[in-house]
Amino acid sequence: MKRIGIALLGVGNVGGGVHDLLASNNVMAKRARIKIEIVAASARNLRRARKRLGPGVPVHADWREAVAADGVDAVVELIGGLDDALACAREVLGAGKPLITANKALLATHGGELLALARERGAGLYYEAAVAGCVPAIRTIRDALAGDEIESIVGILNGTCNYIMTQLAREGKGFEEALALASELGYAEADPSLDVDGWDAAHKAVILAWLAYGLPLAMDRIAVEGIRGAAVADRDCAAEFGYVIKLLAHVKDHGRRGVETQVAPALIARSHPLAAVNDNLNGLLVRTRYAGELLLVGAGAGALPTASAVVADIIAAARDGAPPALPFGGKASARHCARINLGSQAYLRVRVIDAKGVLARISQTLSAAGLSIEAIHQQESHSGAEVDIAILLHELDWAALRRTMARLAKMKQVVAPPVAMPIIIPHIKDE
Ligand code: HSE
């Protein structure tokens, strides 16, 4: 049996989960004939970490001491954040040792540098747990689809947002209450604004675009919107048309125009399997040229599901005599493109004072901008009351829609800024 000694940096939610998984059931490791031993650890809360890991594992306040401990063959970085994590990654890879990390922010901002360093020093860089928790998103895109061409990836990539939106829709919970529950369950980041403002999903989307297309990791090239503005009115209006709203990451190859990467609340048809991906689950729909469509679903957040992916990476690090083949069948010419048109269709909601002729004026304004209406829904109301008019628009030019929304906002009967969302997965229509 092969043995691998690890330094476990960070004994919080996921780090504690890695320990528990190894302690309670090291079956996978036994099957792989690899004995995984935590030989040193570091943690912010020493007392709590010592209690969790037991007397056999020295716990240090400084990660450097854990990394330098005798018998460390690989380092598991679960510190999170950027500063210490980056210094640690540079040190470990620079010394030619395998680094296993779940740190999506680190990879999304410094992945290129770290990958180059890993290659130069012949060290393995493993990060399956950084995207979609236990779902094998990295291995699927990097390895399983290496011979194919990826046309697009639609992903529910943040478990916290998905959990919050499920709680709002299914249990009628308020936003703050649902977020507090997500934190309690260990889904949310230490700074939950990373989750709810879309940045965590954006980090993951940028990593996927990097793997799929060889794109530079450029966080400033992607449009990001979170779920703070997600209104109950939109959920209800979308439901009238048979849609659900999810925080979706969308990576789409537009050929010579480049690759578009975005994160935003968006509509998907209720009949599509991704619409049933609820709670802390993540889901990825990958469209490829040759294999067609693949759907991957599993727990995207939480201690043990994430620990499961970390432990699989430790096993991979122990198995690989040489570091893993690192990416990608990317296109040499791959580039980010400006926002083109997220989704071919759009949903629009306009809140108005119900008055004679208001619907006609809205549809005239849309039509004058070249925007074509597929369906309209207006709640029952009475003259003078506030009411939502929800509209589905055919394939459109997003810039034209934004200009039209500004025009609509100026109408005297319109009482709030209009809301628009892309329809990423429309209903399948009969020919
Ligand atoms: N906060 C993250 C999420 C954890 O909710 O998806 C997993 O990356």
Side-chain angles (χ1 to χ4, degrees):
M1 181 167 290
K2 203 165 169 177
R3 175 200 165 276
I4 182 165
I6 58 166
L8 181 65
L9 312 184
V11 192
N13 187 39
V14 178
V18 168
H19 165 264
D20 294 354
L21 195 155
L22 292 175
S24 74
N25 185 4
N26 212 334
V27 163
M28 291 296 290
K30 280 183 205 138
R31 200 185 300 156
R33 300 198 52 75
I34 290 163
K35 187 169 161 49
I36 301 169
E37 257 178 66
I38 303 174
V39 295
S42 72
R44 268 190 290 269
N45 186 331
L46 292 175
R47 215 160 58 95
R48 198 181 61 185
R50 285 184 180 131
K51 196 166 162 214
R52 188 88 181 246
L53 301 181
V57 182
V59 185
H60 305 272
D62 185 346
W63 59 264
R64 287 176 184 82
E65 287 182 38
V67 168
D70 285 343
V72 171
D73 303 303
V75 174
V76 178
E77 183 276 304
L78 300 169
I79 306 171
L82 282 182
D83 299 342
D84 276 340
L86 178 60
C88 161
R90 283 177 175 152
E91 185 170 317
V92 173
L93 295 172
K97 280 195 182 168
L99 179 78
I100 294 112
T101 179
N103 192 329
K104 48 263 158 146
L106 176 70
L107 289 160
T109 41
H110 300 285
E113 175 203 325
L114 297 178
L115 193 59
L117 182 60
R119 279 186 170 140
E120 187 194 311
R121 299 301 163 95
L125 173 59
Y126 301 83
Y127 47 95
E128 185 60 68
V131 177
C134 69
V135 179
I138 302 292
R139 282 189 177 83
T140 301
I141 299 207
R142 187 193 59 201
D143 303 333
L145 295 173
D148 211 316
E149 280 177 41
I150 292 170
E151 293 171 350
S152 67
I153 303 168
V154 176
I156 298 170
L157 299 181
N158 184 271
T160 300
C161 288
N162 208 34
Y163 178 81
I164 292 173
M165 291 178 88
T166 308
Q167 288 291 312
L168 299 185
R170 210 178 49 201
E171 316 291 338
K173 291 254 183 341
F175 182 89
E176 293 302 335
E177 189 187 356
L179 174 56
L181 280 171
S183 296
E184 240 170 68
L185 290 164
Y187 303 155
E189 298 298 299
D191 171 5
S193 63
L194 286 169
D195 296 296
V196 297
D197 291 328
W199 291 104
D200 178 80
H203 289 145
K204 294 165 180 167
V206 115
I207 294 169
L208 294 178
W210 179 51
L211 289 174
Y213 301 108
L215 283 174
L217 292 155
M219 286 301 294
D220 57 341
R221 299 304 307 270
I222 100 168
V224 183
E225 199 184 319
I227 61 163
R228 284 189 205 269
V232 173
D234 291 311
R235 181 199 68 196
D236 294 345
C237 290
E240 290 291 339
F241 296 121
Y243 285 98
V244 299
I245 300 175
K246 297 276 182 193
L247 183 72
L248 293 182
H250 195 205
V251 181
K252 188 166 166 47
D253 185 4
H254 288 281
R256 275 188 306 194
R257 287 195 291 175
V259 176
E260 183 183 27
T261 309
Q262 300 205 28
V263 172
L267 276 65
I268 50 184
R270 197 163 40 210
S271 55
H272 193 276
L274 263 191
V277 172
N278 287 324
D279 299 305
N280 65 330
L281 294 181
N282 279 191
L284 284 92
L285 175 69
V286 186
R287 291 202 171 102
T288 77
R289 179 162 176 193
Y290 302 106
E293 288 190 348
L294 282 87
L295 187 64
L296 305 171
V297 176
L304 290 172
T306 313
S308 164
V310 171
V311 173
D313 270 355
I314 300 172
I315 293 172
R319 266 184 178 157
D320 287 328
L326 286 169
F328 16 68
K331 301 174 178 183
S333 60
R335 66 190 178 88
H336 293 277
C337 61
R339 184 175 193 140
I340 292 183
N341 181 7
L342 183 70
S344 53
Q345 291 178 255
Y347 155 92
L348 174 68
R349 177 171 61 85
V350 191
R351 190 156 182 83
V352 297
I353 302 280
D354 195 6
K356 204 166 160 195
V358 68
L359 187 55
R361 266 199 74 193
I362 289 174
S363 61
Q364 275 157 15
T365 310
L366 291 169
S367 155
L371 301 168
S372 158
I373 296 173
E374 180 187 302
I376 291 196
H377 171 77
Q378 182 181 333
Q379 295 160 322
E380 269 182 44
S381 81
H382 54 86
S383 188
E386 280 190 19
V387 66
D388 283 311
I389 296 176
I391 300 167
L392 294 191
L393 294 161
H394 284 293
E395 195 165 319
L396 53 78
D397 170 358
W398 200 257
L401 175 58
R402 296 224 174 271
R403 282 195 299 273
T404 309
M405 286 164 69
R407 220 165 284 144
L408 291 172
K410 287 187 192 140
M411 274 173 59
K412 81 170 187 299
Q413 296 91 342
V414 173
V415 293
V419 173
M421 288 182 219
I423 300 175
I424 299 283
I425 303 180
H427 293 293
I428 296 169
K429 299 191 179 73
D430 296 331
E431 293 301 316

